[in-house]
Amino acid sequence: EAARRFRVAVLDVVVGHAEQVAKLNKELEAHVEELDAFAYVASHDLKEPLRGIHNYAAFLIEDYQGKLGTDGEVKLRAMMRLSQRMESLIESLLHYSRTGRGEFVVRDKDLNAVLRGAREMLQARLQETAADLRVPRPLPTVRCEPVMVGEVFGNLISNALKYNDKPDKWVEVGYEGRTEPDGEGGTKSVTAFYVRDNGIGIPAKHHDAVFRIFKRLHARDKFGGGTGAGLTIVKKVVERHGGRIWVESTEGEGTTFYFTLGG
Ligand code: ADP
């Protein structure tokens, strides 16, 4: 009788847990849907003001023709370019959230141009931190979704600048050949791109966790605000290309993020 009562009690607990898990799953699904809707609304509300900034810069160039001086016009044109780029990024994100598992337009793209774009976006931060952005050799041309890959470089470089307390900060962007299993018992060579820094590093036990959404390891007040979504998006983009991303790091010495783009 005692054994029977014990079994019933155990069963009760197991069933209770299963119900709990099912309930949590439902809640999680609802949250994911809400997040998608949020991304959609946020993107739309971001696009409008950006369009405004772009148009006002264009109006200024037109209205003050000849009175701005070359420097003024160069700056306004940079504003137009940057807002345009952000708009196309939002467009891609919208596209991605709508068709995340569907259409994804790839083409051959010179990654040096992609990196130039990312560098321009981060120009102010690079100056502010007096960091040295090194590119030891020109990057190759690869098949990819260029706006998204620009976002990958931008995010990784931005983190490399942010999580760095050294007086002489540097970031290095490069690539190396690697051999990986091809899934059919053989091997294949792939290009692994990397973004390396001499910053604070990431403890080994957090190497997987950093790619989880809203995961932040370092104090916001010390290293500046962040959402903890950056690396999650980066990982999604890399995996959408059929690639993978991983991190190697030594605390106090620096971090290297590697990623492949599938080939
Ligand atoms: P955040 O918006 O917080 O920067 P990310 O998803 O980009 O979000 O990064 C997640 C966390 O991983 C960061 O909060 C930080 O603790 C850690 N991290 C990311 N990149 C680096 C780096 N290059 N060096 C040290 N820590 C990093």
Side-chain angles (χ1 to χ4, degrees):
E1 169 62 18
R4 193 192 63 85
R5 268 220 302 275
F6 177 71
R7 271 208 301 280
V8 168
V10 168
L11 217 66
D12 260 0
V13 171
V14 171
V15 169
H17 272 301
E19 275 167 6
Q20 189 75 12
V21 168
K23 193 168 148 247
L24 283 175
N25 255 335
K26 265 217 149 50
E27 276 173 26
L28 199 65
E29 266 166 33
H31 279 307
V32 168
E33 253 168 49
E34 211 171 279
L35 262 178
D36 274 354
F38 172 76
Y40 192 78
V41 171
S43 306
H44 272 135
D45 290 349
L46 284 171
K47 265 173 61 181
E48 280 306 309
L50 269 177
R51 198 82 299 255
I53 291 170
H54 179 272
N55 289 346
Y56 277 114
F59 292 154
L60 277 173
I61 293 175
E62 217 178 283
D63 294 352
Y64 293 86
Q65 223 168 31
K67 291 181 212 146
L68 288 165
T70 348
D71 189 45
E73 192 168 328
V74 165
K75 284 180 177 147
L76 282 170
R77 289 208 184 277
M79 262 177 80
M80 285 173 69
R81 253 196 332 277
L82 292 174
S83 52
Q84 192 114 55
R85 190 166 316 132
M86 198 156 157
E87 217 183 305
S88 65
L89 173 65
I90 291 171
E91 198 47 62
S92 307
L93 283 173
L94 265 178
H95 189 235
Y96 187 63
S97 84
R98 271 195 302 250
T99 62
R101 288 143 288 275
E103 198 186 352
F104 192 72
V105 186
V106 294
R107 58 190 165 98
D108 284 332
K109 182 74 189 175
D110 172 10
L111 286 188
N112 298 293
V114 172
L115 187 60
R116 266 199 302 280
R119 187 198 276 263
E120 191 175 11
M121 292 283 259
L122 292 165
Q123 200 51 46
R125 190 96 65 80
L126 279 163
Q127 267 165 9
E128 202 177 288
T129 52
D132 185 14
L133 176 55
R134 307 171 183 164
V135 186
R137 55 177 171 151
L139 302 178
T141 292
V142 298
R143 252 190 121 55
C144 66
E145 214 288 60
V147 179
M148 287 292 182
V149 173
E151 186 58 8
V152 168
F153 278 117
N155 254 297
L156 294 178
I157 297 169
S158 159
N159 278 347
L161 297 173
K162 195 153 68 166
Y163 301 106
N164 194 328
D165 55 1
K166 306 275 181 353
D168 294 314
K169 304 182 208 325
W170 55 256
V171 185
E172 186 177 302
V173 179
Y175 67 101
E176 48 194 53
R178 295 244 171 169
T179 315
E180 280 192 346
D182 65 0
E184 291 161 13
T187 57
K188 60 174 181 180
S189 30
V190 294
T191 306
F193 297 94
Y194 67 81
V195 175
R196 180 169 296 146
D197 65 56
N198 65 334
I200 58 177
I202 302 171
K205 64 171 191 256
H206 294 310
H207 284 187
D208 290 331
V210 288
F211 298 107
R212 258 182 249 140
I213 195 144
F214 305 138
K215 180 75 187 174
R216 311 190 73 242
L217 309 174
H218 303 103
R220 193 179 294 259
D221 47 354
K222 188 158 177 215
F223 294 101
T227 58
L231 286 175
T232 312
I233 294 173
V234 163
K235 183 165 187 252
K236 249 192 146 173
V237 170
V238 166
E239 287 175 353
R240 193 69 189 82
H241 282 85
R244 58 187 197 95
I245 183 163
W246 69 98
V247 61
E248 289 174 14
S249 178
T250 309
E251 268 190 277
E253 280 180 29
T255 302
T256 306
F257 279 94
Y258 287 96
F259 65 95
T260 62
L261 289 172

